[in-house]
Amino acid sequence: MFDYIIVGSGFAGSVIAERIANQLQKKVLIIEKRKHIAGNAFDSYNEAGILVHNYGPHIFHTKIKEVWDYLSQFTDWNIYHHQVLGVIDGAKVPIPFNINSLYGVFPKSIASKLEEKLIRSFGYNIKIPILKLKESEDEDLKYLADFIYEKVFLNYTLKQWGLQPEDLDASVTGRVPVYISRDNRYFQDRYQGTPKFGYTNLFEKILDNENIKVLTNTDYKEIIDIDTNTSEIRFMNNKFNGKLIYTGPIDYFFDYKYGELPYRSINFKFSDIQQASYQEVGTVNYPNDYDFTRITEFKHLTGQKNDLSSIVKEFSEVYIPGVNVPYYPIKNDANFEILKKYKSLSRQLDNVHFIGRLAEYQYYDMDAVIAKALRVFNEKIIKSGD
Ligand code: FAD
Ligand code: UDP
């Protein structure tokens, strides 16, 4: 009946489904737990008529031409370069913290001395992770690093992760390095934007193929049994001889055999605004004030014109299976040890591919998930000949 069964209709599941259906002309069933496709990229029009990202703000950005070209087959783009301001001591300054931020928080004479030192020590147009800058031996640069650490990173990270920056893998705060530049954009990738008609529309186009069937509102365990010892897959009580592509949480797949992999969840609080514009840029971060981390105003991201506007505030919380949604894998050594055990089990199942943020427990952006799905298709699925 089906050659492939895919669990999850986010980017990982949908891209690989499209490749199998279009390139191999094979039949695919996608099983999706939620009532809709598109995973965490899902967007929809709210009652005020504003296109909102239901699982938090999503800006597409990539350096990978192949990924941009792939998606561009299914959508046109709003060319959008995301900008973020952070509220520091009452001033709103660019994040990542850059030379303009320096002048926003220090008097000109101090800012220019620090600017000169930064450029002399590291060069111009250079990005330095905060934890690296904190190692500076120069007294002034160390002072600056400690200032940025305290004012931008420490409290935001405590709110977002319940942990200090040092207790996470350095790559987490490294996503938002100090940037010796006057470029106020959040990302410097060559390709940036949001899909012209929204993400959900993009997914509808990706999945528009007679070889693809999507079953929503269904946890795969309701209709699929997998014997992880023998690799046997049963679909609606019949043996399934095809392959499974799994994009849900890896610990759930193995019935939490080695314990739960912790995640952070987010409580998104949406509000409609009775005016055309709420804030200067797409996102404003509040490292040190309030319980939420940031406010995003969607119209900046989507380019929508309307007399009203909508915003979302993000309140981070502990993930509890069955209660809220696992959004962010928590990258640190302890969790990596648990992940290693699950990965070793997953390698024993050669009829199952694990792809995506949840299945690989990786802090992937959308482009990385798409690149991975395309790679698995090219290197494993085509080559295996089945
Ligand atoms: P998902 O999108 O999570 O899809 C997995 C799917 O599997 C889900 O639909 C889920 O319902 C389904 N599923 C899970 N378990 C089961 C089950 N048991 N049975 C059936 N179905 C199941 N990336 C960017 O590039 N730019 C951004 O600006 C950006 N912003 C983000 C903001 C937030 C708040 C978050 C949380 C993430 C953001 N991301 C961003 C990351 C982006 O969301 C992910 O890279 C992407 O969604 C991962 O795709 P995926 O297919 O791996 O996972
Ligand atoms: N971060 C911070 N202050 C900021 C912005 C980011 O401390 O103003 C840290 C924080 O730990 C955050 C991480 O950098 O979780 C990555 O930020 P990013 O904006 O990439 O997070 P995402 O958009 O994935 O939530």
Side-chain angles (χ1 to χ4, degrees), residues 57 59 82 84-88 95-96 130 148-149 151-158 160-161 163-165 168 171-177 186-187 266 285-287 293-294 314 328 357 363-365:
I59 300 103
H82 193 45
V84 176
L85 293 173
V87 179
I88 295 171
I95 303 289
I130 185 60
I148 300 172
Y149 176 86
K151 304 279 184 179
V152 178
F153 286 94
L154 181 58
N155 293 323
Y156 188 106
T157 303
L158 282 168
Q160 172 71 8
W161 301 97
L163 294 170
Q164 302 212 2
L168 289 156
S171 62
V172 174
T173 46
R175 287 167 60 90
V176 188
Y186 205 60
F187 310 110
I266 308 270
N285 287 1
Y286 293 85
T293 50
R294 58 188 178 188
E314 296 178 45
Y328 290 90
R357 219 184 216 211
Y363 191 173
Y364 279 147
D365 283 330

Side-chain angles (χ1 to χ4, degrees), residues 77-95:
W77 297 93
N78 302 304
I79 298 302
Y80 167 70
H81 293 250
H82 193 45
Q83 288 199 30
V84 176
L85 293 173
V87 179
I88 295 171
D89 294 340
K92 278 186 180 167
V93 301
I95 303 289

Side-chain angles (χ1 to χ4, degrees), residues 288-300:
N288 305 305
D289 315 290
Y290 308 113
D291 291 340
F292 51 83
T293 50
R294 58 188 178 188
I295 299 182
T296 297
E297 183 178 17
F298 291 103
K299 281 167 63 185
H300 288 280

Side-chain angles (χ1 to χ4, degrees), residues 7-13 31-34 38-41 55-59 61 218-220 247-249 252 268 294 314 327-328 356-358 364-367 369:
V7 175
S9 65
F11 271 112
I31 305 170
E32 169 56 58
K33 190 165 91 166
R34 290 172 171 160
N40 287 340
Y55 301 97
H58 278 70
I59 300 103
H61 59 99
T218 307
D219 188 312
Y220 80 99
T247 76
Y252 178 72
F268 296 106
R294 58 188 178 188
E314 296 178 45
Y327 287 119
Y328 290 90
R357 219 184 216 211
L358 302 167
Y364 279 147
D365 283 330
M366 294 182 278
D367 67 327
V369 170

